[in-house]
Each structure stands twice: as structure tokens, then as C-alpha cells.
């Protein structure tokens, strides 16, 4: 009988343990000494400080997007889009206003920041970035990455990314994130960089509205050759034209709600990254346990003189004779030291794994609450929009009925 697939949430259930002083102690080497120094040191002469660095005390916005031309690492000419990040302190210790910090960032720099957060906080569901290239192309929307509509949507997505990070209880305190918002160029020196397709009814909706546009054209042309019915047909055609013209505004609303859903589509990769880190941690733990068990068995065989499993060492002993007592004692002593070290290492990895699961599970629960709230609001707003559209359609055909009645 086929075995049932394990429940991923059950795999992340935390086991009881004593809290550690640093949840990411085993990952310190992954980000380098420079990154650690940047996290421990306070900011320089910027207007923001560690004490007021949180979403409740500063305002973050990506206010502008600008097309630029420069040379890449291969010294080749390239065109890219830069985004203006503005930060302003809302609260200040002396009650005085603070000047707004502003700087320009490329999309690749946002990617670098997110890669850093993924490496240094493997137990956290890191917010996603908006798509780098247009994947879902709508009517009247170009697939060109420099298209103004696409750039504007990506600007909004990048601003949402920064606000998500700033509102996170742990990520908002990271000094690399602070440097990203305040330091023009040298923040990258401290970083050690390590579809599902939404089914939309927009196409069908677009077609329905354009059919009403055809109604309007037919009624208008028909009214030109009818004397008694001309006024009624002309009025009905006008109502149909107005209804058909409203499709552009509706498609913009559709795109807005679709972007909200796509944001959580991109969250899937962040969740997979957390699960992959959990699997690697579990693999390291099991490898350490197997290595410790092998050393204990080897030590027991040397102490008793019995070999339970085939080994190259056992075959060599049979061919060339037994070891001297001094050699055996030396090997036993060395194995005992290795066993003691292995037990400490296994205990450390076990605690690290449990701490990771506890932190990851807590952040996934936080992410679930955020997701439920955001999607609930988006779906309610979408339903309200659909109700408004239906009411508008009923009103159009009611007016058309009155026009027909007067003919």
C-alpha cells in the first residue's frame, strides 16, 4: 500500500527546548565577518538610528522611477530603470523635523538585499519581490520591461517589499536593511551574497464589454436610416458606448487585485527556501548521529576484540596480524575523544535544529495571519467591484429598455 505523504506543517512542529542566545549561531559564517560587523555597529551620521528604525517610526516610499543608461560589469552599454527610495523619520527625540533621506536603487540591488535576508534568516518567510519581467500580458499592456505601465507596477511592488520588510518584527532591525535605505553605495560591501498561473476572467470580461461597443455602433448606424425609431436607437447606442468604454478602468482594477494575489504566489519560493533549510539541518543532524554511532561501534569492537561487520581494517588484521596492546589502547583513546566531541556536536546540532523549527514555525504562523488578512480584504474588495459592475450593467440595459419603449 502506498505510504501517505508527510504533512509539511507537522514536520515543522516545534519540540520543547531551552531558548538559545542566537537563533542563527550556526549560520554566522555564511554572511562573513563584515556583515556581522555591520549588524552590530550603529549607523553613522544618517538621520535615522537603531532606536527609531521601525515601520511605526519612519515612512518608506519608492516615489519615482527613472530610465538610465550606463555600463555593466562587462563594460557594455545597457539601459535600466532606477527607483528613488525616500525615508523620513516620523518621531524624533528632540521633537524637531528630520530631513528626508533619498537615494536611487536598481532592481538588481533589491535582489541582492533579498538574497542576503534569505541567507541570514533561513527560518523567516522573506517577502517576495515583484516580477523582473512582464509574465502576464494584458490587453493594451506591452511586454517591454521599459513600458511605463509595467515600470509603475514594479515600483509599487518594490515599495510593498520594503514596507513588508520594515513591518516584520525581526527583519526591520537588520542593519543591512538600514544601510540599504540610507547608504548610497558602500552597503553592498558588507553583504556576502550568497507557474502557477492565475486564471482570470478578464479576457471574457473584455469581450463582453466590446460586444456592447458593437451594439452601440450598430444602433447608431441603424438610427441613421430609421425615422421613427432613430432617436430611441441613438440613445440606446450611447448607453452601450458608455458601458463599453468603462472596461479600461475595470481592467486596471482587475490588474490591481491580480497583483495582490501574485505577491503571494511569489511567497511560495520563500516558503520553499525555509523548508529546504529545514531539510539540510535535519540531514546534518542525521549524518552526525550516524558518524557517532559508527565510532561507538568501532570503539566497542576494539575493546572486545570482536568484529561485527566487514571492514577493510578487519581484513588487514587477518592478513597481517593483530595490533599490539599499546596501538589498540592508543586507538581506543583517540576514538573516545572523538566520541566525546561527536556527542557535543550532535547535541549542538540537535538544539540548533529545534531552535530553527521553533523560529520557523512561529514566523510561518505570523505569515498565515498576514496572508489570511490580506487575501480576505482583496477578495472582499474584488467582490464589491464585481457587484458594482453588475449593477452598472443592469442600469445600462434598463436605460436601453426605456429607450426601446419610447420608439
Amino acid at each position: 500500500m502506498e505510504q501517505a505523504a508527510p504533512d509539511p506543517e507537522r514536520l515543522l512542529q516545534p519540540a520543547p527546548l531551552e531558548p538559545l542566545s542566537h537563533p542563527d549561531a550556526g549560520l554566522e559564517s555564511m554572511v562573513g565577518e563584515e556583515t556581522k560587523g555591520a549588524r552590530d555597529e550603529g549607523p553613522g551620521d544618517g538621520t535615522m538610528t537603531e532606536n527609531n528604525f521601525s515601520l511605526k517610526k519612519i515612512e518608506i516610499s519608492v516615489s519615482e522611477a527613472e530610465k538610465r543608461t550606463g555600463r555593466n560589469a562587462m563594460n557594455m552599454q545597457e539601459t535600466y530603470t532606477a527607483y528613488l527610495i525616500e525615508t523620513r523619520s516620523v518621531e524624533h527625540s528632540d521633537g524637531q523635523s528630520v530631513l528626508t533621506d533619498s537615494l536611487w536603487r536598481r532592481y538588481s540591488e533589491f535582489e541582492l538585499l533579498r538574497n542576503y535576508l534569505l541567507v541570514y534568516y533561513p527560518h523567516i518567510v522573506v517577502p517576495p519581490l515583484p516580477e523582473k519581467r512582464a509574465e502576464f500580458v494584458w490587453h493594451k499592456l506591452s511586454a517591454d520591461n521599459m513600458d511605463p505601465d509595467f515600470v509603475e507596477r514594479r515600483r509599487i511592488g518594490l515599495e510593498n517589499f520594503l514596507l513588508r520588510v520594515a513591518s516584520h518584527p525581526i527583519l526591520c532591525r537588520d542593519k543591512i536593511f538600514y544601510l540599504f535605505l540610507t547608504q548610497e553605495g558602500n552597503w553592498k560591501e558588507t553583504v556576502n551574497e550568497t507557474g502557477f498561473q492565475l486564471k482570470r476572467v478578464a479576457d471574457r470580461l473584455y469581450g463582453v464589454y466590446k460586444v456592447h461597443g458593437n451594439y452601440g455602433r450598430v444602433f447608431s448606424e441603424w438610427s441613421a436610416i430609421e425615422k421613427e425609431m432613430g432617436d430611441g436607437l441613438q440613445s440606446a447606442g450611447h448607453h452601450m458606448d458608455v458601458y463599453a468604454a468603462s472596461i479600461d478602468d475595470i481592467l486596471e482594477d482587475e490588474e490591481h487585485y491580480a497583483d495582490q494575489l501574485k505577491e503571494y504566489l511569489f511567497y511560495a519560493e520563500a516558503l520553499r527556501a525555509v523548508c529546504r533549510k529545514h531539510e539540510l539541518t535535519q540531514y546534518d543532524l542525521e549524518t552526525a548521529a550516524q558518524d557517532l554511532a559508527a565510532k561507538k561501534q568501532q570503539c566497542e569492537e576494539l575493546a572486545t576484540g570482536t568484529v561485527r561487520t566487514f571492514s577493510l581494517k578487519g581484513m588487514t588484521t587477518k592478513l597481517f596480524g593483530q595490533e599490539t596492546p599499546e596501538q589498540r589502547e592508543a586507538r581506543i583513546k583517540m576514538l573516545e575523544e572523538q566520541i566525546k566531541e561527536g556527542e557535543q556536536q550532535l547535541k549542538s546540532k540537535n538544539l540548533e535544529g529545534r531552535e530553527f523549527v521553533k523560529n520557523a514555525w512561529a514566523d510561518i504562523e505570523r505569515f498565515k495571519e498576514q496572508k489570511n488578512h490580506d487575501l480576505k480584504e482583496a477578495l472582499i474588495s474584488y467582490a464589491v467591484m464585481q457587484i458594482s459592475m453588475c449593477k452598472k450593467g443592469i442600469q445600462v440595459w434598463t436605460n436601453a429598455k426605456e429607450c426601446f419603449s419610447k420608439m
Side-chain angles (χ1 to χ4, degrees), residues 87-98:
T87 54
R88 184 176 66 87
S89 177
V90 177
E91 299 177 8
H92 199 256
S93 58
D94 56 6
Q96 299 179 358
S97 61
V98 181

Side-chain angles (χ1 to χ4, degrees), residues 113-132:
L113 172 65
R114 187 172 186 274
N115 288 337
Y116 156 76
L117 295 176
L118 287 173
V119 170
Y120 205 88
Y121 302 96
H123 60 279
I124 286 179
V125 183
V126 180
L129 289 170
E131 55 195 1
K132 187 172 186 177

Side-chain angles (χ1 to χ4, degrees), residues 41-54:
E41 294 175 2
D45 55 357
T47 58
M48 291 188 297
T49 64
E50 181 182 5
N51 293 331
N52 66 359
F53 188 66
S54 67

Side-chain angles (χ1 to χ4, degrees), residues 17 23 46 111 133 181 192 203 218 226 249 258-259 319 342 356 370 388:
L17 75 163
E111 286 184 315
R133 294 175 177 83
L181 297 175
N192 184 17
D203 290 336
V218 170
E226 293 285 351
D249 294 335
D259 284 342
L319 292 175
F356 174 84
Q370 168 192 304
S388 176

Side-chain angles (χ1 to χ4, degrees), residues 26-27 276-291 345-346 349-350 352-353:
L27 303 178
R276 283 195 297 267
K277 177 59 182 177
H278 173 251
E279 292 173 354
L280 290 174
T281 303
Q282 184 66 24
Y283 174 78
D284 291 341
L285 178 63
E286 294 175 358
T287 301
Q290 293 174 359
D291 184 61
Q345 184 179 8
L346 180 62
K349 288 184 177 295
N350 193 24
E352 179 184 346

